[in-house]
Amino acid sequence: MNYWWVNQTDNWQDEFRNGYLYAGESSHAYRKSILDVRKDDLVICTHGTGKKRRIYAIGIIAADPSGKIVPRRETRAVQSIKKPAWPKGWEVPIDYDELEHSAPWAPIRHRLQGKFVAKHFTDKSAGVQGYLFPVPPETAGEILRLVSREQPPEARFATAEAISPTVFATTMAAEVMVRVGHRKWSADVKAMWGERCCATGFNVKPLLRASHIVSWSEDEYSRLDRYNGLCLSPAYDAAFDAHLITFKDDGRILLADNFSAESARQIGIDSATKIEGLLSGHLKYLERHRSTFRSKYLKP
């Protein structure tokens, strides 16, 4: 794995929304470096200029660059008044993990000076040169450590602080990959169920939950299998996660012995619920969920 720094420009929001990096066709090494990234490389993503530059996301390169020159996307609508846009260039797909709080670059750069280096950082605390360039692992690790400290406690990376910067970078990269993988899994599960709760048809997207059938902690090999998931509304998700409810292979709901139909009704769960649309891929996971359900809540 390699570590990179990208100075995204006026169209950074389009790149973020659509999951790509773009470098206009140029002989400049800082532009052609986009051809040197590789799948699973970590990218520290920034936008802004001078003292306004901020680190807003950590990205994981999703595939090796194809090397093909492609036309500039029409969605890149923002134009710089100082220079014309490149009509064509290179693209590479990237999965972004947006930070809860973007981190200002200037104070981080100030703390790095004299201790950690990267070839293309300038002497000024807020400045960087180039578009996309490599960062040594120990420097990347220290940047990531300082960025993590800028996050609210619940959003900080779980990686232990008391390790070397290089090890911190490696373990944090693995954590970002897990976050990115979970986000893609969640989107796939919701899409499979048509962006609706599979139990009720509820379709208020901000409240929908992609709920693991077999929990994340129980089986690492099935974590990102989209069949190991149901799209549920909040009440159903909470009860399903607590194994107070489960579902038969035909989709009919089962309630735990200590969870009455009246209690279920009070929180918006219908004891006559039936999921339509279960596929064969879901069934092995539902059997495991029912096994835990029976062991926890059904009276012998």
Side-chain angles (χ1 to χ4, degrees), residues 77-99:
V78 180
Q79 301 292 328
S80 171
I81 60 174
K82 295 182 179 180
K83 56 184 177 182
W86 282 278
K88 54 186 178 178
W90 299 283
E91 273 192 16
V92 64
I94 182 172
D95 293 318
Y96 291 98
D97 184 29
E98 186 176 18
L99 298 171

Side-chain angles (χ1 to χ4, degrees), residues 208-227:
L208 292 174
R209 303 287 184 266
S211 184
H212 276 94
I213 302 173
V214 174
S215 70
W216 178 274
S217 61
E218 187 177 340
D219 186 351
E220 64 177 300
Y221 298 105
S222 63
R223 288 175 177 176
L224 302 182
D225 183 352
R226 63 177 184 157
Y227 292 104

Side-chain angles (χ1 to χ4, degrees), residues 32-248:
K32 295 189 73 174
S33 60
I34 197 170
L35 301 176
D36 296 328
V37 301
R38 291 295 177 264
K39 184 178 185 297
D40 294 336
D41 282 358
L42 183 145
V43 184
I44 299 167
C45 303
T46 76
H47 67 76
T49 58
K51 292 184 178 181
K52 294 182 179 180
R53 182 163 295 280
R54 303 184 74 86
I55 300 170
Y56 76 96
I58 308 300
I60 299 294
I61 298 297
D64 291 347
S66 69
K68 296 179 180 178
I69 299 291
V70 297
R72 180 177 63 88
R73 296 191 184 206
E74 293 182 0
T75 52
R76 296 179 65 84
V78 180
Q79 301 292 328
S80 171
I81 60 174
K82 295 182 179 180
K83 56 184 177 182
W86 282 278
K88 54 186 178 178
W90 299 283
E91 273 192 16
V92 64
I94 182 172
D95 293 318
Y96 291 98
D97 184 29
E98 186 176 18
L99 298 171
E100 185 77 17
H101 289 169
S102 63
W105 167 236
I108 293 177
R109 178 67 182 112
H110 180 73
R111 294 183 68 175
L112 294 178
Q113 285 181 322
K115 299 177 183 178
F116 299 91
V117 299
K119 180 179 179 181
H120 302 285
F121 293 157
T122 67
D123 292 334
K124 295 181 180 180
S125 64
V128 290
Q129 294 176 327
Y131 171 66
L132 178 69
F133 53 84
V135 178
E138 62 274 14
T139 304
E142 190 61 18
I143 292 171
L144 296 171
R145 192 199 307 271
L146 295 172
V147 166
S148 183
R149 291 176 185 172
E150 293 284 328
Q151 306 310 302
E154 68 277 7
R156 290 174 186 164
F157 290 91
T159 306
E161 283 271 334
I163 56 177
S164 72
T166 301
V167 175
F168 187 93
T170 302
T171 52
M172 185 170 165
E175 188 175 342
V176 172
M177 287 183 185
V178 169
R179 291 188 184 195
V180 166
H182 183 270
R183 188 173 66 248
K184 293 176 71 175
W185 171 86
S186 178
D188 286 347
V189 169
K190 292 175 183 178
M192 173 181 280
W193 292 102
E195 304 290 340
R196 293 175 177 271
C197 171
C198 62
T200 66
F202 178 81
N203 65 350
V204 180
K205 291 183 180 181
L207 296 180
L208 292 174
R209 303 287 184 266
S211 184
H212 276 94
I213 302 173
V214 174
S215 70
W216 178 274
S217 61
E218 187 177 340
D219 186 351
E220 64 177 300
Y221 298 105
S222 63
R223 288 175 177 176
L224 302 182
D225 183 352
R226 63 177 184 157
Y227 292 104
N228 184 26
L230 300 176
C231 183
L232 296 171
S233 58
Y236 278 83
D237 170 60
F240 187 72
D241 186 58
H243 291 88
L244 289 170
I245 64 173
T246 190
F247 297 94
K248 295 183 177 181

